PDB file of all heavy atoms in Angstrom:
ATOM      1  N   ALA A 291       4.224 -41.158  20.748  1.00 95.00           N
ATOM      2  CA  ALA A 291       3.895 -39.778  20.146  1.00 95.00           C
ATOM      3  C   ALA A 291       2.733 -39.172  20.982  1.00 95.00           C
ATOM      4  O   ALA A 291       2.749 -37.974  21.332  1.00 95.00           O
ATOM      5  CB  ALA A 291       3.523 -39.868  18.769  1.00 95.00           C
ATOM      6  N   ALA A 292       1.688 -40.000  21.272  1.00 95.00           N
ATOM      7  CA  ALA A 292       0.549 -39.511  22.022  1.00 95.00           C
ATOM      8  C   ALA A 292       0.984 -39.171  23.499  1.00 95.00           C
ATOM      9  O   ALA A 292       0.588 -38.151  24.041  1.00 95.00           O
ATOM     10  CB  ALA A 292      -0.527 -40.558  22.094  1.00 95.00           C
ATOM     11  N   ARG A 293       1.949 -39.888  23.989  1.00 96.00           N
ATOM     12  CA  ARG A 293       2.447 -39.699  25.363  1.00 96.00           C
ATOM     13  C   ARG A 293       3.303 -38.348  25.358  1.00 96.00           C
ATOM     14  O   ARG A 293       3.190 -37.609  26.350  1.00 96.00           O
ATOM     15  CB  ARG A 293       3.294 -40.851  25.811  1.00 96.00           C
ATOM     16  CG  ARG A 293       3.595 -40.841  27.328  1.00 96.00           C
ATOM     17  CD  ARG A 293       4.283 -42.168  27.760  1.00 96.00           C
ATOM     18  NE  ARG A 293       3.399 -43.321  27.529  1.00 96.00           N
ATOM     19  CZ  ARG A 293       3.625 -44.297  26.700  1.00 96.00           C
ATOM     20  NH1 ARG A 293       4.677 -44.212  25.872  1.00 96.00           N
ATOM     21  NH2 ARG A 293       2.754 -45.339  26.615  1.00 96.00           N
ATOM     22  N   ILE A 294       4.108 -38.116  24.323  1.00 96.00           N
ATOM     23  CA  ILE A 294       4.755 -36.851  24.229  1.00 96.00           C
ATOM     24  C   ILE A 294       3.854 -35.731  24.231  1.00 96.00           C
ATOM     25  O   ILE A 294       4.085 -34.701  24.918  1.00 96.00           O
ATOM     26  CB  ILE A 294       5.648 -36.811  22.926  1.00 96.00           C
ATOM     27  CG1 ILE A 294       6.777 -37.832  23.026  1.00 96.00           C
ATOM     28  CG2 ILE A 294       6.255 -35.429  22.718  1.00 96.00           C
ATOM     29  CD1 ILE A 294       7.536 -38.050  21.639  1.00 96.00           C
ATOM     30  N   GLU A 295       2.768 -35.753  23.446  1.00 96.00           N
ATOM     31  CA  GLU A 295       1.732 -34.728  23.439  1.00 96.00           C
ATOM     32  C   GLU A 295       1.122 -34.515  24.796  1.00 96.00           C
ATOM     33  O   GLU A 295       0.935 -33.308  25.218  1.00 96.00           O
ATOM     34  CB  GLU A 295       0.679 -35.091  22.444  1.00 96.00           C
ATOM     35  CG  GLU A 295      -0.311 -33.949  22.193  1.00 96.00           C
ATOM     36  CD  GLU A 295      -1.383 -34.290  21.109  1.00 96.00           C
ATOM     37  OE1 GLU A 295      -1.257 -35.402  20.489  1.00 96.00           O
ATOM     38  OE2 GLU A 295      -2.195 -33.440  20.863  1.00 96.00           O
ATOM     39  N   THR A 296       0.874 -35.514  25.577  1.00 97.00           N
ATOM     40  CA  THR A 296       0.306 -35.368  26.868  1.00 97.00           C
ATOM     41  C   THR A 296       1.302 -34.735  27.837  1.00 97.00           C
ATOM     42  O   THR A 296       0.963 -33.761  28.603  1.00 97.00           O
ATOM     43  CB  THR A 296      -0.092 -36.810  27.473  1.00 97.00           C
ATOM     44  OG1 THR A 296      -1.117 -37.368  26.655  1.00 97.00           O
ATOM     45  CG2 THR A 296      -0.613 -36.688  28.901  1.00 97.00           C
ATOM     46  N   ASN A 297       2.561 -35.144  27.792  1.00 97.00           N
ATOM     47  CA  ASN A 297       3.596 -34.591  28.614  1.00 97.00           C
ATOM     48  C   ASN A 297       3.791 -33.051  28.304  1.00 97.00           C
ATOM     49  O   ASN A 297       3.973 -32.337  29.200  1.00 97.00           O
ATOM     50  CB  ASN A 297       4.914 -35.320  28.439  1.00 97.00           C
ATOM     51  CG  ASN A 297       4.917 -36.733  29.155  1.00 97.00           C
ATOM     52  OD1 ASN A 297       4.206 -36.841  30.164  1.00 97.00           O
ATOM     53  ND2 ASN A 297       5.696 -37.684  28.644  1.00 97.00           N
ATOM     54  N   ALA A 298       3.872 -32.775  26.973  1.00 97.00           N
ATOM     55  CA  ALA A 298       4.117 -31.396  26.623  1.00 97.00           C
ATOM     56  C   ALA A 298       2.997 -30.503  27.053  1.00 97.00           C
ATOM     57  O   ALA A 298       3.247 -29.381  27.552  1.00 97.00           O
ATOM     58  CB  ALA A 298       4.237 -31.394  25.030  1.00 97.00           C
ATOM     59  N   ARG A 299       1.760 -30.928  26.902  1.00 97.00           N
ATOM     60  CA  ARG A 299       0.591 -30.093  27.369  1.00 97.00           C
ATOM     61  C   ARG A 299       0.669 -29.895  28.887  1.00 97.00           C
ATOM     62  O   ARG A 299       0.496 -28.782  29.396  1.00 97.00           O
ATOM     63  CB  ARG A 299      -0.653 -30.651  26.916  1.00 97.00           C
ATOM     64  CG  ARG A 299      -1.940 -29.859  27.336  1.00 97.00           C
ATOM     65  CD  ARG A 299      -3.157 -30.386  26.762  1.00 97.00           C
ATOM     66  NE  ARG A 299      -3.235 -30.109  25.316  1.00 97.00           N
ATOM     67  CZ  ARG A 299      -3.798 -28.953  24.792  1.00 97.00           C
ATOM     68  NH1 ARG A 299      -4.270 -28.061  25.640  1.00 97.00           N
ATOM     69  NH2 ARG A 299      -3.864 -28.760  23.571  1.00 97.00           N
ATOM     70  N   ARG A 300       0.885 -30.986  29.590  1.00 96.00           N
ATOM     71  CA  ARG A 300       0.837 -30.853  31.057  1.00 96.00           C
ATOM     72  C   ARG A 300       2.033 -30.010  31.604  1.00 96.00           C
ATOM     73  O   ARG A 300       1.889 -29.326  32.588  1.00 96.00           O
ATOM     74  CB  ARG A 300       0.890 -32.280  31.715  1.00 96.00           C
ATOM     75  CG  ARG A 300       0.586 -32.250  33.205  1.00 96.00           C
ATOM     76  CD  ARG A 300       0.589 -33.612  33.739  1.00 96.00           C
ATOM     77  NE  ARG A 300       1.917 -34.243  33.803  1.00 96.00           N
ATOM     78  CZ  ARG A 300       2.295 -35.248  33.008  1.00 96.00           C
ATOM     79  NH1 ARG A 300       1.455 -35.742  32.150  1.00 96.00           N
ATOM     80  NH2 ARG A 300       3.542 -35.670  33.104  1.00 96.00           N
ATOM     81  N   LEU A 301       3.105 -30.071  30.947  1.00 97.00           N
ATOM     82  CA  LEU A 301       4.320 -29.320  31.473  1.00 97.00           C
ATOM     83  C   LEU A 301       4.394 -27.920  30.734  1.00 97.00           C
ATOM     84  O   LEU A 301       5.456 -27.261  30.898  1.00 97.00           O
ATOM     85  CB  LEU A 301       5.584 -30.097  31.163  1.00 97.00           C
ATOM     86  CG  LEU A 301       5.595 -31.382  32.099  1.00 97.00           C
ATOM     87  CD1 LEU A 301       6.785 -32.352  31.628  1.00 97.00           C
ATOM     88  CD2 LEU A 301       5.842 -31.007  33.527  1.00 97.00           C
ATOM     89  N   GLY A 302       3.324 -27.507  30.086  1.00 97.00           N
ATOM     90  CA  GLY A 302       3.310 -26.092  29.696  1.00 97.00           C
ATOM     91  C   GLY A 302       3.826 -25.731  28.309  1.00 97.00           C
ATOM     92  O   GLY A 302       4.004 -24.569  28.032  1.00 97.00           O
ATOM     93  N   VAL A 303       4.113 -26.712  27.395  1.00 97.00           N
ATOM     94  CA  VAL A 303       4.619 -26.386  26.081  1.00 97.00           C
ATOM     95  C   VAL A 303       3.811 -27.136  25.053  1.00 97.00           C
ATOM     96  O   VAL A 303       4.248 -27.969  24.273  1.00 97.00           O
ATOM     97  CB  VAL A 303       6.166 -26.760  25.957  1.00 97.00           C
ATOM     98  CG1 VAL A 303       6.981 -25.732  26.775  1.00 97.00           C
ATOM     99  CG2 VAL A 303       6.467 -28.158  26.430  1.00 97.00           C
TER     100      VAL A 303
END
Side-chain angles (χ1 to χ4, degrees):
R293 196 174 292 115
I294 293 172
E295 185 174 358
T296 298
N297 286 332
R299 179 172 287 271
R300 192 179 67 251
L301 291 169
V303 289

